[in-house]
Amino acid sequence: PPSERSPQQNGVTETDSREEQISTYFDEKIPVPENVTQVFSFRKLWAFTGPGFLMSIAYLDPGNIESDLQSGAKAGFKLLWVLLGATIIGLLLQRLAARLGVVTGMHLAEVCNRQYPTVPRIILWLMVEFAIIGSDMQEVIGCAIAFNLLSVGRIPLWAGVLITIIDTFVFLFLDKYGLRKLEAFFGFLITIMALSFGYEYVQVAPDQAEVLKGMFVPYCKGCGPVQLEQAVGIVGAVIMPHNIYLHSALVKSRDIDRHNKKEVKEANKYFFIESSVALFVSFLINVFVVAVFAEAFYGKTNMEVCECYDQCNKTGSAHTDLFPLNNETLQVDIYKGGVVLGCFFGPAALYIWAIGILAAGQSSTMTGTYSGQFVMEGFLNLRWSRFARVLLTRSIAIFPTLLVAVFQDVQHLTGMNDFLNVLQSMQLPFALIPILTFTSLASIMNDFANGLMWKIGGGVTILLVCAINMYFVVVYVTALNSTLLYVLSAFLSIAYLCFIGYLVWHCLIALGVSCLDVGGRVRNPSAIFIEEQPEFDS
C-alpha cells in the first residue's frame, strides 16, 4: 500500500520534501545552462562559480594573515612549501565537502544530525560553534586593528571593536539583493585583498628565485623549534573546521537534478575546478604576505627598525613607540606589521595594508555567519532569523575582545590570535573525521562514495593534519607554565580524546573495518535515519 512505501518508492525523497518546507540557503537557486555538449564549458563554469570563492574567504581571514606574516618574519621564505601543501590538503578536503552536498542534497551538519545519536550530535554541534565563535573573534580583532591604523590611532581599539557591530547590518542589507550580487560582493573584497597585498609585494620586491625555492623545495635549512611551531601554525590557520560545513551547504545553491547521475558528476567536476581556482587565488594572496615580511623583516632586530624612526616621524606616524631599543629579533603581528611597512615604504603602504586587513575581516565575518546558520539548522533543526544569528555570534565574539581592548593593549589583543588558532586546531577533527566518514559510505553516497585510494589518502591526510595540530596545542599548553592549567588540560584531554575515539570508530567502519560495526548501525544508516540517496535515472 502507498502508506507503507518508503519516500523513495513514492517518488519523493525525504530531502526533496524537506527542501520544499524550508530553505537552508537562499530563496533562489542559480540555474545551470542545459544542452551544452562540450567536455568543458566556460558558461557552465560561470554558473557554478561562487561557492568556492565564498569558501576561500576562510583561507584569507585575519588569522591567516597573522600566520603568514609571522612565517615570513621568523622563517623567511623557507616555509612557503608548507603553505602550498596546506592549501592543497585544504582543496582535497573541500572537494569531499562539495561532493557530499551535491550528491546527497544535504550539507554536513544535516548528515551528522541523522547519522549520530543525540548526545554525540549535541557535543559535535558545540565544538563546531566554538570554532565559529573563535574565528569570529579573529575577524573582530582584524577589523579593529584596521580601523586603528586607517585613522592613525584616532579610533581606539575598543571603538574599532564596537564598529564591527555594523557588520551585522551590512550583512543583512546585502542578503536582500540576491545570491549572485552577494557572491559578486565577496569577489570584490577578494580583489581588494589581492590588490592591497599585491601592492605591498611590488613595493618590497622580494627575490623571485627565493620565493620559488621556498615554495617548491620542502626543506628548512637552519630551522629550529620556533620555525617548527610556525610551520604547525600555518597548517592550523589554513584548514578551518567550520569551512568544511560551509562548503557542503553552499553547493546546494545551484539547480542540479540529483536524480540524474550525469548532472551530479558534471556538478562535482565544475565545483572542483572552481574551488581550485579560488584557492589558487587565496594561495597567491597568502604568498604575497609571507614574501613581503620575509624580504623586509626576516632576521631584523628592533634596533634596525628603530633606525627608521626619523622617517616615521616625518610622515606623522603615531606608532613609533612600539619597538624597544635593543638588538632582540623583531616581533611583528598584524598591527606592528602595518606600522613597520609604513616606516620602511611610506604611509601609503600602511594604509593599503590596513585596507587589505579590513577587507579580510569584513568578508570572513559574513561567511562565518553563514557557517553558523547552516550548523544550527543542520544539527538542531532550529531556524533563527539571520539577524538573530548574526547578533548572537557577534555579541559573543565582541564581549571578550572588547574587554581585552579596553583593559589591555594591542599586544594582548593580537596575542589572542595564538589562543584562537589553538582553539581552531582542537576543533579540526570534528569536521575532518565526519566528512571522510560519510563520503566513504556507499549507503549515503551511492556510486560517488570514496574509492580505496581516497579512503587511504584521506585517512592518512586527516591523521597527519590532526597530529600536526595536536602538536600545536601541546606546545601552546606547555608554554603556559601553570600547574592548575596542566591538571585542567589533562581532564579535558581525556574527555576530548574519548569523543575523538568515538568518531574514529564510526570512520573506521565506513572505511571498511566492518567487524567494528556491531548491529550494522553505521554502514546501514537506515537504522538511524531514512536513506535519502536518490535512485539515478539512466
Side-chain angles (χ1 to χ4, degrees):
S3 60
E4 296 180 3
R5 293 176 185 168
S6 69
Q8 290 82 5
Q9 291 171 324
N10 281 321
V12 179
T13 66
E14 185 178 339
T15 304
D16 294 334
S17 61
R18 175 182 168 85
E19 288 182 344
E20 289 176 4
Q21 297 171 10
I22 63 174
S23 171
T24 56
Y25 193 22
F26 291 90
D27 297 329
E28 61 174 314
K29 284 199 172 185
I30 305 301
V32 178
E34 298 180 357
N35 302 321
V36 178
T37 58
Q38 300 99 316
V39 176
F40 176 81
S41 167
F42 281 103
R43 284 181 58 210
K44 284 204 169 184
L45 178 61
W46 177 249
F48 285 105
T49 296
F53 281 91
L54 267 68
M55 168 273 295
S56 71
I57 292 293
Y59 292 74
L60 296 168
D61 70 351
N64 273 284
I65 303 301
E66 172 92 18
S67 175
D68 291 338
L69 65 89
Q70 294 278 5
S71 172
K74 292 180 179 180
F77 303 101
K78 300 174 185 177
L79 295 180
L80 280 173
W81 62 274
V82 177
L83 176 62
L84 176 62
T87 305
I88 293 173
I89 291 173
L91 173 62
L92 299 179
L93 294 171
Q94 300 298 159
R95 175 187 180 271
L96 295 181
R99 285 172 69 87
L100 180 71
V102 170
V103 174
T104 67
M106 297 183 293
H107 54 75
L108 181 56
E110 290 175 316
V111 178
C112 289
N113 180 32
R114 292 150 187 258
Q115 178 69 18
Y116 293 123
T118 302
V119 173
R121 183 172 71 241
I122 297 299
I123 296 174
L124 196 59
W125 167 66
L126 290 173
M127 295 299 100
V128 179
E129 288 288 358
F130 283 142
I132 293 171
I133 292 170
S135 176
D136 205 29
M137 288 179 68
Q138 288 181 312
E139 291 142 15
V140 171
I141 292 170
C143 288
I145 290 173
F147 285 125
N148 184 269
L149 290 174
L150 286 171
S151 65
V152 198
R154 293 187 179 90
I155 298 178
L157 292 171
W158 61 266
V161 171
L162 292 177
I163 290 173
T164 58
I165 296 175
I166 297 173
D167 287 346
T168 302
F169 303 102
V170 172
F171 170 80
L172 294 171
F173 174 78
L174 291 171
D175 192 41
K176 295 184 179 297
Y177 284 87
L179 175 57
R180 271 310 205 187
K181 290 184 175 62
L182 187 65
E183 290 175 346
F185 179 71
F186 279 104
F188 172 70
L189 292 176
I190 292 174
T191 303
I192 290 177
M193 284 184 269
L195 293 175
S196 299
F197 300 130
Y199 170 85
E200 309 288 357
Y201 186 84
V202 172
Q203 279 288 97
V204 176
D207 187 331
Q208 302 302 308
E210 289 297 316
V211 171
L212 294 175
K213 180 182 176 182
M215 196 180 300
F216 296 109
V217 178
Y219 182 66
C220 191
K221 183 179 180 181
C223 291
V226 173
Q227 288 74 25
L228 177 60
E229 290 175 22
Q230 193 57 49
V232 173
I234 290 173
V235 178
V238 167
I239 303 174
M240 309 285 282
H242 64 277
N243 212 32
I244 306 295
Y245 288 87
L246 174 68
H247 199 196
S248 65
L250 292 174
V251 296
K252 294 173 60 178
S253 61
R254 268 49 184 178
D255 191 9
I256 302 165
D257 181 6
R258 294 190 303 103
H259 297 268
N260 187 318
K261 184 175 181 179
K262 181 181 178 182
E263 282 196 27
V264 172
K265 186 176 181 179
E266 185 179 67
N268 284 331
K269 178 182 74 173
Y270 281 108
F271 275 132
F272 180 67
I273 294 172
E274 186 241 1
S275 297
S276 301
V277 174
L279 289 188
F280 176 72
V281 173
S282 72
F283 172 70
L284 287 182
I285 294 174
N286 284 316
V287 168
F288 289 160
V289 178
V290 174
V292 164
F293 283 84
E295 179 70 25
F297 308 116
Y298 174 56
K300 291 287 195 305
T301 65
N302 288 319
M303 189 66 72
E304 289 176 280
V305 175
C306 292
E307 291 174 358
C308 74
Y309 274 7
D310 290 340
Q311 183 177 351
C312 283
N313 289 328
K314 291 177 183 177
T315 60
S317 173
H319 312 283
T320 53
D321 57 345
L322 290 175
F323 306 99
L325 292 169
N326 57 43
N327 283 319
E328 294 181 6
T329 303
L330 174 68
Q331 300 292 326
V332 291
D333 47 42
I334 290 180
Y335 186 80
K336 289 181 179 178
V339 174
V340 293
L341 284 173
C343 286
F344 278 87
F345 304 103
L350 184 151
Y351 295 128
I352 292 174
W353 168 260
I355 290 171
I357 296 298
L358 183 61
Q362 291 283 353
S363 55
S364 54
T365 192
M366 296 183 200
T367 55
T369 299
Y370 276 124
S371 300
Q373 187 83 359
F374 299 139
V375 165
M376 180 175 286
E377 291 174 6
F379 278 109
L380 305 181
N381 288 324
L382 178 64
R383 287 186 60 79
W384 281 18
S385 69
R386 292 188 177 106
F387 179 85
R389 173 71 207 182
V390 178
L391 197 60
L392 174 66
T393 56
R394 182 41 52 94
S395 299
I396 294 173
I398 280 178
F399 183 69
T401 311
L402 183 61
L403 289 178
V404 176
V406 171
F407 296 107
Q408 298 291 340
D409 52 22
V410 68
Q411 283 81 2
H412 288 85
L413 190 63
T414 55
M416 286 180 67
N417 270 317
D418 292 335
F419 170 76
L420 295 173
N421 281 334
V422 170
L423 180 65
Q424 300 280 3
S425 299
M426 293 185 67
Q427 312 311 319
L428 264 176
F430 305 125
L432 305 190
I433 296 175
I435 195 63
L436 180 63
T437 300
F438 301 135
T439 54
S440 297
L441 283 172
S443 53
I444 292 177
M445 297 292 288
N446 207 322
D447 295 340
F448 293 95
N450 293 330
L452 180 61
M453 292 302 296
W454 267 98
K455 289 179 180 180
I456 296 175
V460 171
T461 298
I462 289 174
L463 180 63
L464 176 64
V465 170
C466 290
I468 288 174
N469 284 281
M470 287 308 100
Y471 172 82
F472 186 35
V473 172
V474 170
V475 168
Y476 181 84
V477 171
T478 53
L480 296 176
N481 295 321
S482 171
T483 304
L484 178 62
L485 291 176
Y486 290 159
V487 174
L488 179 62
S489 299
F491 281 109
L492 292 176
S493 297
I494 293 172
Y496 177 82
L497 292 174
C498 286
F499 187 56
I500 295 295
Y502 174 83
L503 297 179
V504 170
W505 169 62
H506 272 258
C507 188
L508 288 174
I509 295 170
L511 294 177
V513 189
S514 55
C515 62
L516 298 176
D517 191 10
V518 181
R521 292 178 63 84
V522 176
R523 295 190 66 82
N524 179 20
S526 58
I528 299 176
F529 63 92
I530 296 176
E531 187 175 328
E532 297 192 349
Q533 176 60 35
E535 297 178 2
F536 290 116
D537 295 335
S538 60

